[in-house]
Amino acid sequence: MNELREAAMYISELKVENFRLFGEGENAALLGLRPGLTAIVGENDSGKSVIVDV
């Protein structure tokens, strides 16, 4: 299993720009992600589902 983890790929950063409630330029959403991320948690109507739609 360790061999698989060492070779695994992950998304380190996600930038959402000019999509639904996210703006462009300085108003874009920039999410830094770390290995092992398994959930996105936030308040209602904060854009969690939008990230999945991207």
Side-chain angles (χ1 to χ4, degrees):
M1 184 73 171
N2 286 338
E3 293 177 21
L4 180 61
R5 283 187 170 225
E6 291 176 11
M9 184 183 304
Y10 72 97
I11 299 171
S12 62
E13 186 175 87
L14 179 64
K15 181 177 183 179
V16 183
E17 186 170 14
N18 207 17
F19 181 73
R20 292 195 181 177
L21 59 91
F22 300 107
E24 59 183 306
E26 289 184 10
N27 295 323
L30 184 60
L31 303 171
L33 308 172
R34 293 187 271 169
L37 176 74
T38 59
I40 298 174
V41 180
E43 296 181 10
N44 289 342
D45 201 30
S46 63
K48 299 178 300 292
S49 298
V50 173
I51 293 169
V52 176
D53 291 341
V54 173

